[in-house]
């Protein structure tokens, strides 16, 4: 069986499957080359740049599994893959710590104007008055989305002495209590948050001018989740008017963002989608997704499929004899 890896993925992660499959690491393929070669492969591993749309899925006539070395599967047409009987797997836990740490890094940079102050020093200035910051201690952080990453962000924020609010429709009272957060409706989030951080899939919530108008004056917003969750035109206006004190953005509706006007605002910090960009995370997501792709190709149960009913690990042993029959 053959597996195509169409983007740079940690060799340490995919090395274990090279003994069992013919693995082609080809991050240099053009779109036309990618489509023309897809019929050769049984498995495909991508990151975020490869567009696995309906056209690609139809071209991959022999594809049995598509692996996303990361969490989000926005670049994969999951319904089209499901219709073709192709399993889509991801690595939901591999970059959790990296994304949480990047979020806190952006929050600190936003509070203390660190990039702006560093740029000022590089230009030869010694300007202390322009970069008066605020402390995280005692401030209210609202975490929208208490999945793996949101939970890790909340844990770290509590260590900074912040009060943490959370909004997540799937967050139980018991889990909220154990996490040390207060689970509240969105209306309360808008009213009370000094800092707002987003950890939700694209399409689950839209923050536009109406939502921004409800937020506490001087709120600071961090988005390391997905571009398009926040209306960028509305955010630009709120930042220009000072209703939003600052924004730290790792993701954009269009990437690369080109001449996005947000990038020229002095109260915006931007990074090029670096949330999962650590050495450790890249190895971890590659290991997880390669393992899941290998299991799918050899007929074993997979645990991170996004288009199959989840099966708890403790139940897999009891169910295993029925898989061949099914």
């Amino acid at each position: 069986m053959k597996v195509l890896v169409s983007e740079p993925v940690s060799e340490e992660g995919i090395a274990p499957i090279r003994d069992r499959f013919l693995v082609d690491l080809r991050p240099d393929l053009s779109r036309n080359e990618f489509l023309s070669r897809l019929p050769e492969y049984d498995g495909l591993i991508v990151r975020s740049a490869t567009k696995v749309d309906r056209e690609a899925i139809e071209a991959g006539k022999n594809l049995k599994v598509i692996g996303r070395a990361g969490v989000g599967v926005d670049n994969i047409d999951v319904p089209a893959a499901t219709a073709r009987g192709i399993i889509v797997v991801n690595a939901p836990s591999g970059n959790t710590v990296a994304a949480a740490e990047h979020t806190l890094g952006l929050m600190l940079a936003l509070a203390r104007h660190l990039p702006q102050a560093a740029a000022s020093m590089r230009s030869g200035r010694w300007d202390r008055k322009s970069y008066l910051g605020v402390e995280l201690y005692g401030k209210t952080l609202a975490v929208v989305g208490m999945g793996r990453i949101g939970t890790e962000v909340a844990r770290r924020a509590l260590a900074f002495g912040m009060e943490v609010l959370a909004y997540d429709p799937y967050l139980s009272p018991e889990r909220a209590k154990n996490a040390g957060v207060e689970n509240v409706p969105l209306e309360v989030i808008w009213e009370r948050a000094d800092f707002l951080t987003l950890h939700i899939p694209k399409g689950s919530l839209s923050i536009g001018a109406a939502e921004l108008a409800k937020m506490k004056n001087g709120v600071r917003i961090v988005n390391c989740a997905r571009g398009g969750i926040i209306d960028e035109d509305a955010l630009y206006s709120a930042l220009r008017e000072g209703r939003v004190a600052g924004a730290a953005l790792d993701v954009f509706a269009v990437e690369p963002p080109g001449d996005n006007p947000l990038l020229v605002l002095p109260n915006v910090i931007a990074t090029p989608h670096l949330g999962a960009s650590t050495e450790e995370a890249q190895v971890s997501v590659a290991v997880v997704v390669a393992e899941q792709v290998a299991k799918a190709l050899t007929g074993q149960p997979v645990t991170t499929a996004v288009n199959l009913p989840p099966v708890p690990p403790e139940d897999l042993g009891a169910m295993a004899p029925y898989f061949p029959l099914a």
Side-chain angles (χ1 to χ4, degrees):
M1 290 186 176
K2 297 178 68 175
V3 177
L4 172 63
V5 183
S6 65
E7 296 180 60
V9 171
S10 167
E11 178 60 33
E12 186 178 343
I14 62 174
I17 69 170
R18 286 190 180 277
D19 295 337
R20 291 180 280 172
F21 309 102
L22 177 59
V23 179
D24 285 343
L25 179 58
R26 293 298 306 272
D28 55 338
L29 294 176
S30 68
R31 172 69 176 182
N32 288 337
E33 291 172 327
F34 172 68
L35 292 175
S36 66
R37 295 196 60 172
L38 267 179
E40 304 174 26
Y41 297 96
D42 304 281
L44 171 64
I45 294 177
V46 302
R47 291 179 63 189
S48 59
T50 302
K51 191 175 182 182
V52 192
D53 52 14
R54 184 175 296 275
E55 182 185 24
I57 288 167
E58 290 177 355
K61 300 183 185 301
N62 293 308
L63 282 179
K64 301 170 183 62
V65 59
I66 300 169
R68 163 70 164 95
V71 181
V73 291
D74 299 350
N75 56 317
I76 302 172
D77 189 332
V78 177
T82 305
R84 289 285 307 276
I86 300 170
I87 301 171
V88 179
V89 298
N90 65 350
S93 60
N95 58 12
T96 298
V97 170
E101 289 184 354
H102 194 64
T103 299
L104 264 295
L106 286 178
M107 197 182 304
L108 286 164
L110 193 60
R112 302 301 297 271
H113 311 292
L114 298 183
Q116 298 91 331
S120 173
M121 288 287 290
R122 287 182 182 276
S123 67
R125 300 200 303 272
W126 180 264
D127 182 1
R128 299 179 64 192
K129 293 182 180 179
S130 298
Y131 303 113
L132 180 67
V134 297
E135 297 179 4
L136 298 189
Y137 179 79
K139 301 299 188 299
T140 298
L141 171 66
V143 180
V144 177
M146 279 288 288
R148 292 179 177 88
I149 296 170
T151 299
E152 291 300 321
V153 169
R155 182 176 297 150
R156 286 156 175 76
L158 289 167
F160 277 94
M162 303 185 83
E163 177 190 10
V164 181
L165 307 179
Y167 169 77
D168 191 316
Y170 304 105
L171 181 63
S172 68
E174 181 182 5
R175 188 162 157 260
K177 182 179 179 180
N178 291 338
V181 304
E182 182 184 353
N183 194 12
V184 298
L186 281 174
E187 293 301 318
V188 176
I189 294 286
W190 308 148
E191 293 171 3
R192 291 174 55 187
D194 298 304
F195 289 81
L196 170 68
T197 180
L198 306 173
H199 302 285
I200 52 178
K202 184 177 179 180
S204 59
L205 176 66
S206 180
I207 298 176
E211 288 75 22
L212 290 168
K214 296 175 184 177
M215 291 184 190
K216 189 175 183 179
N217 194 47
V219 66
R220 291 170 171 84
I221 299 173
V222 179
N223 186 9
C224 285
R226 284 290 177 268
I229 295 173
I230 306 176
D231 182 316
E232 293 179 353
D233 292 334
L235 179 60
Y236 178 84
S237 297
L239 286 161
R240 281 288 302 271
E241 295 166 9
R243 291 184 289 110
V244 173
L249 308 172
D250 188 46
V251 290
F252 296 85
V254 176
E255 296 181 353
D259 58 354
N260 190 314
L262 285 168
L263 300 179
V264 301
L265 292 178
N267 51 350
V268 169
I269 297 170
T271 51
H273 208 144
L274 298 180
S277 294
T278 65
E279 295 176 5
E280 296 86 349
Q282 291 310 301
V283 172
S284 180
V285 295
V287 168
V288 171
V289 80
E291 178 185 75
Q292 294 298 304
V293 166
K295 286 185 175 182
L297 290 178
T298 54
Q300 300 179 60
V302 295
T303 55
T304 68
V306 301
N307 59 346
L308 281 175
V311 178
E314 60 270 19
D315 293 343
L316 286 175
M319 296 177 67
Y322 299 97
F323 286 114
L325 175 61

